[in-house]
Amino acid sequence: MAQRFLMARPLTDEVVARARAEFDVEIRTETSVLTQDEMIRALQEFDVVMPTLGDVFGAEVFAVVPNPRCKLLANFGVGFNHIDVAVAEANGVAVTNTPGAVTDATADIALTLILMSARRAAEGERLVRTGDWPGWHPTQMLGEHVTGKKLGVIGMGRIGEAIARRCHFGFGMEVFYAARSDKTPGFDVTRVADVKSLAAAVDFLVVAVPGGAETRHLVDVDVLAAMQPNAHLINIARGEVIEQAALIAALEQRRIGGAGLDVYEFEPEVPQALRDLDNVTLLPHLGTATEEVRSNMGHMVLDNVAAFFAGQALPNLV
Ligand code: NAP
């Protein structure tokens, strides 16, 4: 029986062409997340499935398909918190992801958000577009200076370090971080005991930890309360790491300088309360959204699929 591969989303042209050339592949044309029925069919009818963000392969779906034909979930993306890896493994399904390919692009979006939030760029752009800009004057739209300020990184992994590097070398910022282990990136960084102390010490607090149960609401009401009134909170990781309701309250009461978000707790829902605020910059999960990065991610998925079909070790087993 031919080995079958399901790609749960259309990818870039070059990745689609390679997938069709190398595998017996079915490529789903919809861009929406998989339904429960689609996930069940995926596990029953394919040897390998490429899921991505929002495709919740959890205990519920594996309970319906306890002995799946599928033996590999080759996730498109480095974040895999939508997959219950322990349950997948217990059902004989390996999981791979796409680390590294996403690092620089996601760090670039963090810098975009730092600058946009600090310098009120989205608010200013709206002002120009609506025709309400009265012209330059010395005290108009004063934001937060970035160069030389203090950066705090929650989760100094690949992306966290790439953000710190840009801030250190590009903006002369002093870098602090909270993590589970000491990091030595090759430039000066200072580890802070916990997230709350980090929040109290910095001007820009950036979230770069994986999502999932372990980090859910790591930035909670107490962490937000510890932040300085001028400080900005940036999230390029996963929405659920920040207690969104508490962030909305802090922004509404102007207790922090602002926030820049690429991800949301109940994505793709973005609460009206957040959309009504001028002191938050809202991006639609743009972290890795460039043609070359999405192609690199796709090739990484296909490399894992090829290794699996060849019976070789999986390059990016999580
Ligand atoms: P990574 O290299 O695994 O880095 C994650 C870091 O988080 C590690 O340094 C880890 O610490 C730290 N960490 C984990 N749990 C922690 C905890 N409870 N407290 C403090 N630190 C903790 O991952 P990455 O490649 O940088 O990616 C990070 C996340 O970014 C992904 O999981 C994904 O969800 C998100 N992401 C978002 C986008 C986007 O489009 N916005 C794009 C790519 C990735 P140790 O090193 O000590 O274990």
Side-chain angles (χ1 to χ4, degrees):
M1 191 166 49
Q3 296 204 289
R4 299 189 71 209
F5 169 37
L6 173 70
M7 278 167 55
R9 302 288 189 287
L11 297 184
T12 59
D13 290 347
E14 69 174 72
V15 176
V16 165
R18 178 180 160 199
R20 290 201 196 286
E22 291 185 20
F23 308 111
D24 176 1
V25 65
E26 178 176 316
I27 302 174
R28 185 167 168 269
T29 51
E30 290 89 354
T31 54
S32 52
V33 300
L34 291 172
T35 64
Q36 177 90 351
D37 284 349
E38 285 178 309
M39 285 188 284
I40 290 167
R41 176 178 171 256
L43 291 178
Q44 283 171 337
E45 296 183 13
F46 295 87
D47 300 280
V48 173
V49 176
M50 181 208 78
T52 191
L53 187 86
D55 298 336
V56 186
F57 280 91
E60 222 173 283
V61 68
F62 282 105
V64 183
V65 193
N67 280 309
R69 170 171 170 175
C70 176
K71 295 288 178 261
L72 173 64
L73 291 176
N75 187 59
F76 181 84
V78 66
F80 51 85
N81 53 307
H82 49 282
I83 300 171
D84 190 327
V85 176
V87 172
E89 275 172 4
N91 285 274
V93 182
V95 180
T96 57
N97 67 344
T98 62
V102 303
T103 301
D104 285 327
T106 310
D108 291 349
I109 281 292
L111 267 293
T112 304
L113 283 170
I114 288 173
L115 290 166
M116 286 183 77
S117 188
R119 303 301 303 275
R120 302 171 61 177
E123 191 186 342
E125 216 255 357
R126 286 191 292 274
L127 187 71
V128 175
R129 275 185 195 281
T130 52
D132 293 332
W133 182 40
W136 189 94
H137 69 79
T139 56
Q140 185 188 51
M141 289 204 67
L142 305 184
E144 174 78 11
H145 192 59
V146 175
T147 298
K149 291 292 170 68
K150 290 181 173 144
L151 171 77
V153 180
I154 304 175
M156 189 72 119
R158 286 173 293 252
I159 295 170
E161 184 183 319
I163 294 165
R165 186 176 298 279
R166 282 158 172 72
C167 289
H168 171 82
F169 290 105
F171 294 90
M173 292 171 83
E174 212 178 329
V175 177
F176 301 82
Y177 70 98
R180 299 180 299 190
S181 53
D182 285 333
K183 308 292 175 191
T184 48
F187 52 93
D188 276 354
V189 294
T190 305
R191 187 171 172 191
V192 175
D194 56 68
V195 171
K196 199 170 159 187
S197 313
L198 182 70
V202 299
D203 304 293
F204 295 92
L205 184 64
V206 180
V207 180
V209 286
E214 216 183 298
T215 56
R216 186 174 174 273
H217 290 185
L218 194 60
V219 177
D220 60 7
V221 107
D222 291 340
V223 171
L224 286 160
M227 287 177 70
Q228 298 175 34
N230 68 303
H232 291 250
L233 177 65
I234 308 298
N235 190 4
I236 51 77
R238 282 293 179 265
E240 76 251 22
V241 182
I242 296 178
E243 191 180 345
Q244 190 166 268
L247 173 61
I248 290 170
L251 289 167
E252 283 176 343
Q253 293 157 24
R254 310 270 154 183
R255 282 191 271 110
I256 61 173
L261 307 175
D262 192 39
V263 288
Y264 305 89
E265 185 164 8
F266 306 106
E267 202 170 313
E269 188 223 327
V270 179
Q272 188 62 46
L274 215 43
R275 287 189 275 147
D276 285 343
L277 288 164
D278 253 347
N279 53 350
V280 61
T281 301
L282 306 169
L283 296 184
H285 205 139
L286 288 181
T288 60
T290 76
E291 173 95 16
E292 62 193 275
V293 171
R294 292 281 164 84
S295 287
N296 289 342
M297 292 164 69
H299 285 300
M300 213 170 211
V301 169
L302 299 188
D303 291 344
N304 282 283
V305 177
F308 174 82
F309 285 145
Q312 295 163 356
L314 300 171
N316 304 106
L317 190 64
V318 304

